[in-house]
Amino acid sequence: MNQLQGSLLASDRTSSEAELFTLEVLRCNPEDSSVQPHWQRYSVELSEGMTLFIALSEIREQQDPSLQFDFVCRAGICGSCAMLINGRPGLACRTLLSSLPSPTRLAPLPGFALIGDLSVDTGRWMRSMSERLQIWVEGAATERDPCEVEEPMEPTLAEEIYELDRCIECGCCVAACGTAQMRDDFVGAVGLNKLARLRLDPRDDRDDAAFYELIGDDDGVFGCMSLLGCEDVCPKDLSLGTQIAYLRRAMLREAL
Ligand code: SF4
Ligand code: F3S
Ligand code: FES
C-alpha cells in the first residue's frame, strides 16, 4: 500500500468514526418484571443539526421499534420529550447531538410515574397539582356570555401574565428539585409559578389570602429550600426563583 492509499484509508476511518454517535438508554418496562432495568447502547450516524429527538426517532424506526419515548411538537412547545440527558433534565427536541459527548446517557425524568424507557406520565402529575392548587379562573368572568367582548387588560399586566404563561409543563423543574424528590405532594416550581400567574389575573375574583391558603404549607411555598435547580434547567428560562421568593415575601407581608 502506498502512502497516499494509507492516508486515504486513515482519513476514511477517522471521518466514519467521527460520524458515529453513541447513546446509552436506560431500558425499563414496569409491565414486564422478568426484564431488569439495564443500559442499552445504540449508535447513529451524525448529521448536521441532528437533535436527540431525531436520533431517537431513527433508532426506533431503523433499529428498535420497542424503544419508548414521547414527543408531539418537535419544537419545544408541548413539553412531552423531557428526559434526563447525562443526568440533567432537558428537552430531546431542543438538544443538538453536537452539544453532547459520545456516549451520552438518557434516562427517564425522576418524580413521575414511569410508563416505559424514557416515557413518563407527567400529565397525571400536572393534573393532580392543578386540582390541588385550583389552577383555574374563578368568579364572575367564568359566567360571562362567551360572545361578550372581554375588558381590555393593561398591556404591561398582559405582558407579565404572558411571561409566566410560557410554561410548557415539561416537568424538568420537578425532576431537578431536591424537595420534589423527597416530598410526593410538593407542588414544585411549576405549581408555584402557575399560582403566581393566576394571582395576577384580574379576571379571577379570589383575594390574595385565598391563594396563599393553597400554598402556605410545606407542600407549597415553605417546602421550597431555594435550591434553584428548577430555574437552572427550565427550558423556557422562567424566573422561577424570583416568583417563589415573591410569593413568600407577599405571604409574610399579609401575615404581619
Ligand atoms: Fe418546564 Fe419550566 Fe414549566 Fe417547569 S416551569 S414545567 S421547567 S417550562
Ligand atoms: Fe426546588 Fe426550585 Fe425550590 S429546585 S427547592 S422549587 S428553588
Ligand atoms: Fe414537544 Fe419536545 S416534542 S417539546
Side-chain angles (χ1 to χ4, degrees):
M1 186 189 317
N2 64 31
Q3 203 180 351
L4 180 60
Q5 283 171 321
S7 65
L8 277 176
L9 278 177
S11 74
D12 278 357
R13 193 172 57 244
T14 312
S15 68
S16 71
E17 275 168 10
E19 284 170 3
L20 280 185
F21 191 98
T22 302
L23 289 170
E24 293 178 347
V25 180
L26 186 58
R27 303 297 311 269
C28 184
N29 182 354
E31 303 289 312
D32 183 358
S33 56
S34 67
V35 182
Q36 290 300 305
H38 60 283
W39 292 100
Q40 186 159 351
R41 279 192 155 224
Y42 301 97
S43 288
V44 287
E45 254 184 50
L46 259 181
S47 57
E48 209 189 324
M50 190 177 217
T51 60
L52 260 181
F53 158 74
I54 295 174
L56 287 169
S57 301
E58 261 189 40
I59 291 169
R60 187 153 68 185
E61 272 164 30
Q62 297 166 14
Q63 303 178 37
D64 186 349
S66 72
L67 182 62
Q68 295 184 71
F69 63 94
D70 297 316
F71 71 93
V72 178
C73 71
R74 310 171 196 184
I77 296 166
C78 72
S80 59
C81 67
M83 57 186 67
L84 286 188
I85 305 164
N86 289 326
R88 184 184 169 90
L91 299 181
C93 71
R94 305 302 291 164
T95 305
L96 290 169
L97 289 196
S98 57
S99 69
L100 299 171
S102 174
T104 272
R105 286 199 149 181
L106 303 178
L109 283 190
F112 300 98
L114 180 68
I115 295 170
D117 301 333
L118 303 173
S119 171
V120 293
D121 192 346
T122 48
R124 192 167 4 139
W125 192 98
M126 294 292 167
R127 186 184 173 103
S128 124
M129 174 275 291
S130 297
E131 284 174 354
R132 180 175 160 219
L133 294 185
Q134 302 174 15
I135 305 291
W136 50 75
V137 172
E138 216 169 77
T142 56
E143 285 144 29
R144 203 181 6 229
D145 176 354
C147 299
E148 196 184 317
V149 178
E150 269 188 13
E151 286 287 313
M153 209 182 271
E154 279 299 318
T156 47
L157 178 60
E159 188 69 32
E160 235 180 301
I161 292 177
Y162 170 74
E163 171 61 20
L164 303 186
D165 246 351
R166 293 189 304 109
C167 170
I168 54 172
E169 300 192 355
C170 62
C172 287
C173 57
V174 176
C177 172
T179 304
Q181 300 310 310
M182 289 186 296
R183 279 180 185 278
D184 285 347
D185 291 330
F186 181 54
V187 297
V190 54
L192 296 171
N193 179 69
K194 279 181 182 295
L195 202 112
R197 175 248 174 267
L198 196 56
R199 192 180 153 274
L200 290 177
D201 197 322
R203 294 166 297 186
D204 195 297
D205 289 351
R206 286 174 284 185
D207 60 14
D208 284 351
F211 286 126
Y212 298 152
E213 183 119 342
L214 295 166
I215 51 163
D217 59 15
D218 285 351
D219 291 331
V221 83
F222 296 117
C224 167
M225 298 183 286
S226 303
L227 299 172
L228 291 180
C230 52
E231 191 165 317
D232 276 354
V233 301
C234 176
K236 293 293 161 184
D237 294 326
L238 293 173
S239 57
L240 300 169
T242 308
Q243 293 310 319
I244 295 169
Y246 178 79
L247 283 172
R248 215 183 258 148
R249 275 201 306 276
M251 287 181 74
L252 285 173
R253 266 203 308 276
E254 175 97 3
L256 292 174

